[in-house]
Amino acid sequence: MSASQSSSALAERLLDERDLGEGYVRQPQRPERHHDVSVIGCPALEELGVEAVVGGSLDFSHKAKASFTYVGDGGSQVSEELYSDTETRLSKGVARIFEAMTSCPTYQVLGGSTSVTVTAQKALAARFGDEQWSQLLTFSSGGRSSIVKQTAVRTGAVVVVVSGSPGLVDAHLAKAVDKVRRIR
């Protein structure tokens, strides 16, 4: 069993532009506001709460987050979140969220006057740690759609979550997990 890591220790292990390579620009972290957001059509997600559904921070003791835009591919994005807590709490918490998000193949997210249809499906995750979860989410609104891959890997008392364009998630997940393993 490994020890929980502080938020400052996690922040030191986030991917940065040097890890990602040329063409990545770090995005400033914005305060997250999800007060007027609701989920319709998926009881498991409605029960879980809006924060987990719309990318708010997960409820673990320690966390750190970074987001990047890859300017070489029309502005594709990738973000990384690190969480630390007890191994059991991390395992149960992440499993619960991923199971809820894929329990309903399609649901609606309402934010103000905007309605987004979300289609969720489980995806295969490479075996990089003690546990792993992955999903593909398709967001459709106003005749446009985008696909986001979200993969979480638990390694000891840390969970690495990489989200964004599927190709960028696949390209950087191993680096993110490897960088976290250095804090053990």
Side-chain angles (χ1 to χ4, degrees):
M1 191 177 243
S2 55
S4 180
Q5 301 294 314
S6 69
S7 294
S8 60
L10 293 174
E12 292 175 15
R13 296 298 179 212
L14 286 167
L15 294 173
D16 59 32
E17 292 88 339
R18 291 180 311 248
D19 300 316
L20 297 173
E22 193 173 322
Y24 287 89
V25 177
R26 189 171 187 148
Q27 300 300 304
Q29 294 299 313
R30 295 183 207 116
E32 297 182 15
R33 296 183 188 107
H34 303 129
H35 303 294
D36 65 342
V37 177
S38 60
V39 176
I40 298 174
C42 188
L45 286 176
E46 292 169 23
E47 182 181 312
L48 193 59
V50 171
E51 287 301 311
V53 176
V54 295
S57 292
L58 303 179
D59 187 24
F60 296 118
S61 297
H62 306 285
K63 54 192 130 205
K65 182 176 184 177
S67 299
F68 301 89
T69 298
Y70 179 59
V71 294
D73 188 22
S76 294
Q77 297 185 344
V78 65
S79 66
E80 178 189 21
E81 299 166 64
L82 301 178
Y83 299 96
S84 188
D85 209 313
T86 68
E87 292 176 18
T88 301
R89 190 158 193 256
L90 289 171
S91 182
K92 287 180 180 179
V94 175
R96 181 175 173 236
I97 290 165
F98 272 76
E99 287 170 18
M101 290 184 78
T102 58
S103 69
C104 303
T106 303
Y107 53 91
Q108 299 288 119
V109 176
L110 302 175
S113 61
T114 304
S115 173
V116 178
T117 300
V118 181
T119 304
Q121 66 185 53
K122 288 182 181 180
L124 292 176
R127 297 205 173 270
F128 289 123
D130 301 315
E131 292 180 277
Q132 49 277 318
W133 304 264
S134 191
Q135 62 188 351
L136 286 174
L137 303 167
T138 303
F139 298 90
S140 302
S141 181
R144 302 179 129 208
S145 64
S146 62
I147 298 173
V148 172
K149 185 171 187 176
Q150 184 174 52
T151 300
V153 175
R154 184 182 66 79
T155 178
V158 177
V159 167
V160 178
V161 181
V162 180
S163 305
S165 301
L168 296 182
V169 171
D170 292 342
H172 299 298
L173 182 63
K175 283 183 253 182
V177 173
D178 185 53
K179 195 166 182 178
V180 163
R181 283 188 175 138
R182 293 183 226 156
I183 64 175
R184 290 172 118 182

Short mmCIF file of all heavy atoms in Angstrom, two decimals, residues 57-99:
data_model
loop_
_atom_site.label_atom_id
_atom_site.label_comp_id
_atom_site.label_asym_id
_atom_site.label_seq_id
_atom_site.Cartn_x
_atom_site.Cartn_y
_atom_site.Cartn_z
N SER A 57 -13.87 18.72 -10.56
CA SER A 57 -12.88 17.93 -9.82
C SER A 57 -13.56 16.82 -9.03
O SER A 57 -14.62 17.02 -8.46
CB SER A 57 -12.11 18.83 -8.87
OG SER A 57 -11.31 19.71 -9.59
N LEU A 58 -12.94 15.67 -9.03
CA LEU A 58 -13.45 14.54 -8.27
C LEU A 58 -13.19 14.79 -6.79
O LEU A 58 -12.28 15.53 -6.42
CB LEU A 58 -12.77 13.25 -8.74
CG LEU A 58 -12.92 12.94 -10.22
CD1 LEU A 58 -12.18 11.66 -10.57
CD2 LEU A 58 -14.39 12.83 -10.61
N ASP A 59 -13.98 14.17 -5.95
CA ASP A 59 -13.92 14.42 -4.52
C ASP A 59 -12.90 13.53 -3.83
O ASP A 59 -13.26 12.57 -3.14
CB ASP A 59 -15.32 14.20 -3.93
CG ASP A 59 -15.41 14.61 -2.47
OD1 ASP A 59 -14.59 15.46 -2.06
OD2 ASP A 59 -16.27 14.09 -1.75
N PHE A 60 -11.62 13.84 -4.02
CA PHE A 60 -10.54 13.13 -3.35
C PHE A 60 -9.69 14.15 -2.58
O PHE A 60 -9.71 15.34 -2.88
CB PHE A 60 -9.68 12.35 -4.35
CG PHE A 60 -10.44 11.26 -5.05
CD1 PHE A 60 -10.60 11.28 -6.42
CD2 PHE A 60 -11.00 10.21 -4.34
CE1 PHE A 60 -11.30 10.26 -7.08
CE2 PHE A 60 -11.71 9.20 -4.97
CZ PHE A 60 -11.85 9.23 -6.34
N SER A 61 -8.93 13.67 -1.62
CA SER A 61 -8.19 14.54 -0.70
C SER A 61 -7.24 15.50 -1.40
O SER A 61 -7.14 16.66 -1.04
CB SER A 61 -7.39 13.70 0.30
OG SER A 61 -8.25 12.94 1.09
N HIS A 62 -6.50 15.02 -2.39
CA HIS A 62 -5.47 15.84 -3.04
C HIS A 62 -5.64 15.78 -4.55
O HIS A 62 -5.95 14.72 -5.10
CB HIS A 62 -4.08 15.36 -2.64
CG HIS A 62 -3.90 15.29 -1.15
ND1 HIS A 62 -3.73 16.40 -0.37
CD2 HIS A 62 -3.91 14.24 -0.30
CE1 HIS A 62 -3.63 16.04 0.89
NE2 HIS A 62 -3.74 14.73 0.97
N LYS A 63 -5.41 16.91 -5.22
CA LYS A 63 -5.59 16.95 -6.67
C LYS A 63 -4.73 18.02 -7.32
O LYS A 63 -4.31 18.98 -6.68
CB LYS A 63 -7.06 17.17 -7.02
CG LYS A 63 -7.69 18.37 -6.36
CD LYS A 63 -9.20 18.37 -6.50
CE LYS A 63 -9.84 18.61 -5.15
NZ LYS A 63 -11.12 18.13 -4.98
N ALA A 64 -4.50 17.82 -8.63
CA ALA A 64 -3.78 18.79 -9.46
C ALA A 64 -4.28 18.61 -10.89
O ALA A 64 -4.67 17.51 -11.27
CB ALA A 64 -2.28 18.57 -9.37
N LYS A 65 -4.25 19.69 -11.68
CA LYS A 65 -4.80 19.60 -13.04
C LYS A 65 -4.03 20.53 -13.98
O LYS A 65 -3.60 21.60 -13.59
CB LYS A 65 -6.28 20.01 -13.02
CG LYS A 65 -6.96 19.92 -14.36
CD LYS A 65 -8.45 20.25 -14.25
CE LYS A 65 -9.13 20.07 -15.59
NZ LYS A 65 -10.56 20.31 -15.52
N ALA A 66 -3.89 20.07 -15.23
CA ALA A 66 -3.29 20.89 -16.28
C ALA A 66 -4.03 20.59 -17.59
O ALA A 66 -4.43 19.46 -17.84
CB ALA A 66 -1.81 20.60 -16.45
N SER A 67 -4.20 21.63 -18.41
CA SER A 67 -4.85 21.48 -19.72
C SER A 67 -3.97 22.10 -20.79
O SER A 67 -3.33 23.13 -20.56
CB SER A 67 -6.22 22.18 -19.72
OG SER A 67 -7.07 21.62 -18.76
N PHE A 68 -3.98 21.46 -21.97
CA PHE A 68 -3.15 21.91 -23.08
C PHE A 68 -3.94 21.91 -24.37
O PHE A 68 -4.84 21.09 -24.56
CB PHE A 68 -1.95 20.97 -23.26
CG PHE A 68 -1.08 20.88 -22.05
CD1 PHE A 68 -1.34 19.94 -21.06
CD2 PHE A 68 -0.01 21.75 -21.89
CE1 PHE A 68 -0.55 19.86 -19.93
CE2 PHE A 68 0.79 21.67 -20.75
CZ PHE A 68 0.52 20.72 -19.77
N THR A 69 -3.57 22.79 -25.27
CA THR A 69 -4.08 22.79 -26.63
C THR A 69 -2.92 22.42 -27.54
O THR A 69 -1.82 22.94 -27.38
CB THR A 69 -4.64 24.16 -27.03
OG1 THR A 69 -5.73 24.47 -26.17
CG2 THR A 69 -5.12 24.17 -28.48
N TYR A 70 -3.19 21.51 -28.47
CA TYR A 70 -2.18 21.15 -29.46
C TYR A 70 -2.48 21.97 -30.70
O TYR A 70 -3.45 21.72 -31.41
CB TYR A 70 -2.23 19.65 -29.77
CG TYR A 70 -1.21 19.24 -30.80
CD1 TYR A 70 0.14 19.45 -30.60
CD2 TYR A 70 -1.62 18.64 -31.98
CE1 TYR A 70 1.07 19.07 -31.55
CE2 TYR A 70 -0.69 18.26 -32.95
CZ TYR A 70 0.65 18.48 -32.72
OH TYR A 70 1.57 18.11 -33.67
N VAL A 71 -1.67 22.97 -30.97
CA VAL A 71 -1.94 23.91 -32.05
C VAL A 71 -1.69 23.31 -33.42
O VAL A 71 -2.17 23.83 -34.42
CB VAL A 71 -1.14 25.23 -31.87
CG1 VAL A 71 -1.63 25.97 -30.64
CG2 VAL A 71 0.34 24.97 -31.79
N GLY A 72 -1.00 22.19 -33.50
CA GLY A 72 -0.70 21.57 -34.78
C GLY A 72 -1.86 20.77 -35.35
O GLY A 72 -1.77 20.25 -36.44
N ASP A 73 -2.97 20.65 -34.62
CA ASP A 73 -4.08 19.81 -35.08
C ASP A 73 -5.40 20.55 -34.92
O ASP A 73 -6.36 20.02 -34.37
CB ASP A 73 -4.09 18.50 -34.28
CG ASP A 73 -5.10 17.50 -34.82
OD1 ASP A 73 -5.47 17.61 -36.00
OD2 ASP A 73 -5.51 16.62 -34.05
N GLY A 74 -5.42 21.80 -35.38
CA GLY A 74 -6.66 22.55 -35.33
C GLY A 74 -7.17 22.82 -33.93
O GLY A 74 -8.36 22.98 -33.73
N GLY A 75 -6.29 22.86 -32.95
CA GLY A 75 -6.71 23.20 -31.60
C GLY A 75 -7.22 22.03 -30.78
O GLY A 75 -8.01 22.23 -29.87
N SER A 76 -6.78 20.82 -31.06
CA SER A 76 -7.17 19.67 -30.24
C SER A 76 -6.68 19.88 -28.82
O SER A 76 -5.63 20.48 -28.59
CB SER A 76 -6.56 18.38 -30.81
OG SER A 76 -7.10 18.09 -32.06
N GLN A 77 -7.43 19.36 -27.86
CA GLN A 77 -7.08 19.56 -26.47
C GLN A 77 -6.82 18.25 -25.75
O GLN A 77 -7.36 17.21 -26.11
CB GLN A 77 -8.18 20.32 -25.75
CG GLN A 77 -8.36 21.71 -26.31
CD GLN A 77 -9.36 22.53 -25.53
OE1 GLN A 77 -10.14 22.02 -24.75
NE2 GLN A 77 -9.32 23.83 -25.74
N VAL A 78 -5.99 18.34 -24.71
CA VAL A 78 -5.73 17.22 -23.82
C VAL A 78 -5.56 17.81 -22.43
O VAL A 78 -4.97 18.88 -22.26
CB VAL A 78 -4.50 16.39 -24.26
CG1 VAL A 78 -3.22 17.19 -24.18
CG2 VAL A 78 -4.40 15.10 -23.48
N SER A 79 -6.11 17.12 -21.44
CA SER A 79 -5.94 17.58 -20.06
C SER A 79 -5.54 16.40 -19.19
O SER A 79 -5.81 15.24 -19.53
CB SER A 79 -7.21 18.24 -19.52
OG SER A 79 -8.25 17.29 -19.41
N GLU A 80 -4.90 16.71 -18.09
CA GLU A 80 -4.49 15.69 -17.14
C GLU A 80 -4.93 16.12 -15.76
O GLU A 80 -4.77 17.28 -15.38
CB GLU A 80 -2.97 15.52 -17.17
CG GLU A 80 -2.48 14.50 -16.16
CD GLU A 80 -0.96 14.47 -16.02
OE1 GLU A 80 -0.30 15.47 -16.38
OE2 GLU A 80 -0.45 13.44 -15.56
N GLU A 81 -5.48 15.18 -15.03
CA GLU A 81 -5.85 15.41 -13.64
C GLU A 81 -5.19 14.31 -12.81
O GLU A 81 -5.17 13.15 -13.22
CB GLU A 81 -7.36 15.33 -13.46
CG GLU A 81 -8.12 16.36 -14.27
CD GLU A 81 -9.59 16.05 -14.33
OE1 GLU A 81 -10.25 16.07 -13.27
OE2 GLU A 81 -10.08 15.78 -15.44
N LEU A 82 -4.64 14.69 -11.68
CA LEU A 82 -4.05 13.73 -10.75
C LEU A 82 -4.80 13.83 -9.43
O LEU A 82 -5.08 14.94 -8.95
CB LEU A 82 -2.57 14.03 -10.52
CG LEU A 82 -1.67 14.02 -11.75
CD1 LEU A 82 -0.25 14.39 -11.36
CD2 LEU A 82 -1.71 12.67 -12.43
N TYR A 83 -5.12 12.69 -8.86
CA TYR A 83 -5.82 12.62 -7.58
C TYR A 83 -5.09 11.65 -6.68
O TYR A 83 -4.58 10.63 -7.14
CB TYR A 83 -7.26 12.13 -7.77
CG TYR A 83 -8.08 13.04 -8.64
CD1 TYR A 83 -8.24 12.78 -9.99
CD2 TYR A 83 -8.69 14.17 -8.10
CE1 TYR A 83 -8.98 13.62 -10.79
CE2 TYR A 83 -9.43 15.02 -8.90
CZ TYR A 83 -9.58 14.75 -10.24
OH TYR A 83 -10.30 15.58 -11.04
N SER A 84 -5.07 11.96 -5.38
CA SER A 84 -4.47 11.04 -4.44
C SER A 84 -5.34 10.94 -3.20
O SER A 84 -5.92 11.92 -2.74
CB SER A 84 -3.06 11.51 -4.06
OG SER A 84 -2.41 10.52 -3.28
N ASP A 85 -5.44 9.73 -2.70
CA ASP A 85 -6.24 9.41 -1.52
C ASP A 85 -5.85 7.98 -1.16
O ASP A 85 -4.87 7.46 -1.68
CB ASP A 85 -7.73 9.53 -1.86
CG ASP A 85 -8.57 9.91 -0.64
OD1 ASP A 85 -8.38 9.28 0.43
OD2 ASP A 85 -9.42 10.81 -0.76
N THR A 86 -6.63 7.32 -0.34
CA THR A 86 -6.33 5.91 -0.09
C THR A 86 -6.61 5.11 -1.35
O THR A 86 -7.47 5.49 -2.16
CB THR A 86 -7.18 5.35 1.07
OG1 THR A 86 -8.55 5.30 0.65
CG2 THR A 86 -7.03 6.18 2.34
N GLU A 87 -5.91 4.01 -1.52
CA GLU A 87 -6.11 3.18 -2.71
C GLU A 87 -7.55 2.71 -2.82
O GLU A 87 -8.14 2.73 -3.91
CB GLU A 87 -5.15 1.99 -2.66
CG GLU A 87 -3.70 2.40 -2.83
CD GLU A 87 -2.73 1.25 -2.69
OE1 GLU A 87 -3.14 0.08 -2.81
OE2 GLU A 87 -1.54 1.53 -2.48
N THR A 88 -8.15 2.31 -1.70
CA THR A 88 -9.53 1.82 -1.71
C THR A 88 -10.50 2.92 -2.11
O THR A 88 -11.39 2.71 -2.93
CB THR A 88 -9.91 1.27 -0.31
OG1 THR A 88 -9.01 0.21 0.00
CG2 THR A 88 -11.34 0.78 -0.28
N ARG A 89 -10.33 4.11 -1.55
CA ARG A 89 -11.23 5.21 -1.88
C ARG A 89 -11.10 5.61 -3.35
O ARG A 89 -12.10 5.86 -4.02
CB ARG A 89 -10.93 6.40 -0.97
CG ARG A 89 -11.97 7.48 -1.07
CD ARG A 89 -11.97 8.36 0.16
NE ARG A 89 -13.17 9.17 0.12
CZ ARG A 89 -13.18 10.45 -0.21
NH1 ARG A 89 -12.09 11.08 -0.46
NH2 ARG A 89 -14.31 11.12 -0.26
N LEU A 90 -9.87 5.66 -3.85
CA LEU A 90 -9.67 5.97 -5.27
C LEU A 90 -10.33 4.93 -6.16
O LEU A 90 -11.05 5.27 -7.11
CB LEU A 90 -8.17 6.04 -5.59
CG LEU A 90 -7.39 7.22 -5.03
CD1 LEU A 90 -5.90 7.02 -5.25
CD2 LEU A 90 -7.85 8.54 -5.65
N SER A 91 -10.09 3.67 -5.86
CA SER A 91 -10.62 2.58 -6.67
C SER A 91 -12.15 2.62 -6.73
O SER A 91 -12.76 2.58 -7.80
CB SER A 91 -10.14 1.25 -6.11
OG SER A 91 -10.61 0.19 -6.90
N LYS A 92 -12.77 2.72 -5.58
CA LYS A 92 -14.24 2.74 -5.52
C LYS A 92 -14.81 4.00 -6.17
O LYS A 92 -15.79 3.93 -6.89
CB LYS A 92 -14.72 2.64 -4.07
CG LYS A 92 -14.55 1.26 -3.49
CD LYS A 92 -15.05 1.21 -2.06
CE LYS A 92 -14.87 -0.19 -1.48
NZ LYS A 92 -15.32 -0.24 -0.08
N GLY A 93 -14.19 5.15 -5.91
CA GLY A 93 -14.70 6.41 -6.44
C GLY A 93 -14.62 6.49 -7.95
O GLY A 93 -15.59 6.88 -8.62
N VAL A 94 -13.48 6.14 -8.52
CA VAL A 94 -13.32 6.22 -9.98
C VAL A 94 -14.20 5.17 -10.66
O VAL A 94 -14.86 5.47 -11.66
CB VAL A 94 -11.84 6.09 -10.38
CG1 VAL A 94 -11.70 6.04 -11.90
CG2 VAL A 94 -11.03 7.24 -9.82
N ALA A 95 -14.24 3.97 -10.13
CA ALA A 95 -15.09 2.92 -10.72
C ALA A 95 -16.55 3.36 -10.73
O ALA A 95 -17.26 3.19 -11.73
CB ALA A 95 -14.93 1.61 -9.96
N ARG A 96 -16.99 3.96 -9.64
CA ARG A 96 -18.40 4.41 -9.55
C ARG A 96 -18.71 5.45 -10.62
O ARG A 96 -19.74 5.41 -11.27
CB ARG A 96 -18.64 4.98 -8.15
CG ARG A 96 -20.04 5.45 -7.93
CD ARG A 96 -20.24 5.87 -6.47
NE ARG A 96 -21.54 6.47 -6.32
CZ ARG A 96 -21.76 7.68 -5.84
NH1 ARG A 96 -20.76 8.43 -5.44
NH2 ARG A 96 -22.98 8.15 -5.75
N ILE A 97 -17.80 6.40 -10.82
CA ILE A 97 -18.03 7.46 -11.80
C ILE A 97 -18.04 6.90 -13.22
O ILE A 97 -18.93 7.18 -14.02
CB ILE A 97 -16.98 8.57 -11.64
CG1 ILE A 97 -17.24 9.32 -10.33
CG2 ILE A 97 -16.99 9.52 -12.84
CD1 ILE A 97 -16.10 10.18 -9.87
N PHE A 98 -17.05 6.07 -13.56
CA PHE A 98 -16.99 5.51 -14.92
C PHE A 98 -18.18 4.60 -15.18
O PHE A 98 -18.74 4.61 -16.28
CB PHE A 98 -15.67 4.79 -15.16
CG PHE A 98 -14.58 5.70 -15.67
CD1 PHE A 98 -13.92 6.57 -14.82
CD2 PHE A 98 -14.23 5.71 -17.01
CE1 PHE A 98 -12.93 7.42 -15.27
CE2 PHE A 98 -13.24 6.56 -17.48
CZ PHE A 98 -12.58 7.43 -16.61
N GLU A 99 -18.58 3.81 -14.20
CA GLU A 99 -19.75 2.94 -14.38
C GLU A 99 -21.01 3.76 -14.59
O GLU A 99 -21.84 3.44 -15.45
CB GLU A 99 -19.91 2.01 -13.17
CG GLU A 99 -18.87 0.90 -13.15
CD GLU A 99 -18.87 0.12 -11.84
OE1 GLU A 99 -19.84 0.19 -11.07
OE2 GLU A 99 -17.85 -0.56 -11.59
#
